[in-house]
Amino acid sequence: MIDSAATSLDAIALFAPLVAAERDELARQCHWRRCAAQEQIIDRTDLNHDVYFLIEGMVRIVDYSFSGREVSFDDLSAGTYFGHLAAVDGKPRSASVVALTATQVASMSPTLFLQVVSRHHDLALDVMQNMAEMVRRSTDRIMDLSTLGANNRVHAEILRLARANLTDDNSANITPIPVHSDIASRVSTTRETVARVFSDLARAGLVERRANKMVVSDFAMLELLVEDVRGGD
């Protein structure tokens, strides 16, 4: 049994507008689960439409081609939620979700989730913004896959990771160091291509691998490299 102190939704950003008593009542109606690293949390073939709230750990949104090749869409950290597309439209899951680390999740029935969201404007707006961001990321990814070569897609993915960790001195520290196979899965290429691109960028002085992080030394130059190929101004 999970310790009661750990069954709190206080760290879930979606529920920040609620008062503590409301969050506690919702927590009591959730199903709580701990997952080991690499354990599957949602299978795309699952029939349930529950929404999951990530209390601890990190998960990956993935799908698989007919040949079994993994396609990675996104990694989510504690405080976020997933599985809400099926709850909103009542249709089958759009992807699978796998724990990357030891993870704790709370799942909520679609009926309860929709009731709560419909009663609170702030929560409904958060869900809409979340889904809008998913559409924008998908659009960007489709454009990159359609218009960029494999090397440039790797550049674009490194740029995306760097942008989330940008510092005031035009550098970025990406932690942990990106795994070649993970990058390859996201941009539809091979690990060998990713390794070659990383080596080229290191020789050019744009990236440097250190003990537990990858440093992008010149974010502006990397951004220019990507935008030139994309045709940006």
Side-chain angles (χ1 to χ4, degrees):
M1 180 178 294
I2 296 174
D3 183 77
S4 60
T7 56
S8 169
L9 295 171
D10 289 353
I12 303 301
L14 174 66
F15 296 130
L18 304 182
V19 299
E22 290 176 306
R23 290 195 296 271
D24 290 344
E25 177 58 29
L26 289 177
R28 283 191 287 272
Q29 298 181 71
C30 287
H31 174 72
W32 293 79
R33 173 182 169 190
R34 289 193 182 275
C35 304
Q38 304 308 313
E39 183 176 344
Q40 192 166 62
I41 300 173
I42 292 178
D43 188 292
R44 184 172 181 175
T45 61
D46 288 346
L47 298 180
N48 78 73
H49 295 160
D50 289 356
V51 181
Y52 290 77
F53 303 95
L54 186 51
I55 310 301
E56 300 172 5
M58 180 174 287
V59 302
R60 175 163 294 163
I61 315 298
V62 299
D63 203 350
Y64 300 91
S65 69
F66 287 116
S67 64
R69 180 175 180 178
E70 179 182 296
V71 179
S72 173
F73 296 110
D74 201 7
D75 293 346
L76 301 179
S77 301
T80 55
Y81 57 98
F82 56 92
H84 48 297
L85 291 185
V88 170
D89 65 13
K91 294 182 179 180
R93 299 290 188 186
S94 60
S96 299
V97 181
V98 178
L100 292 180
T101 65
T103 298
Q104 184 183 25
V105 295
S107 60
M108 180 183 293
S109 73
T111 300
L112 177 58
F113 177 75
L114 293 176
Q115 287 175 350
V116 175
V117 169
S118 65
R119 289 199 303 262
H120 297 274
H121 171 269
D122 290 343
L123 272 62
L125 182 59
D126 187 291
V127 172
M128 287 190 289
Q129 290 174 335
N130 178 284
M131 295 173 75
E133 177 61 24
M134 291 171 66
V135 172
R136 290 183 182 278
R137 287 199 305 267
S138 296
T139 300
D140 289 343
R141 180 169 184 160
I142 290 170
M143 284 299 297
D144 284 350
L145 289 172
S146 301
T147 62
L148 301 182
N151 287 8
N152 301 123
R153 295 200 301 272
V154 177
H155 293 156
E157 179 62 17
I158 298 171
L159 180 68
R160 184 189 69 82
L161 295 172
R163 182 173 283 114
N165 299 277
L166 186 60
T167 63
D168 293 335
D169 65 352
N170 189 42
S171 66
N173 298 321
I174 303 174
T175 306
I177 296 173
V179 178
H180 291 175
S181 58
D182 291 346
I183 298 289
S185 175
R186 287 200 186 107
V187 303
S188 189
T189 188
T190 64
R191 287 177 295 178
E192 292 76 15
T193 296
V194 175
R196 184 174 64 252
V197 171
F198 272 56
S199 296
D200 291 344
L201 291 174
R203 282 194 296 270
L206 287 179
V207 302
E208 178 185 354
R209 180 174 181 142
R210 297 184 183 172
N212 62 345
K213 63 184 177 182
M214 186 175 77
V215 178
V216 177
S217 58
D218 191 338
F219 177 84
M221 182 60 70
L222 179 61
E223 185 175 42
L224 182 62
L225 184 66
V226 173
E227 294 305 323
D228 276 352
V229 177
R230 282 177 173 162
D233 295 330

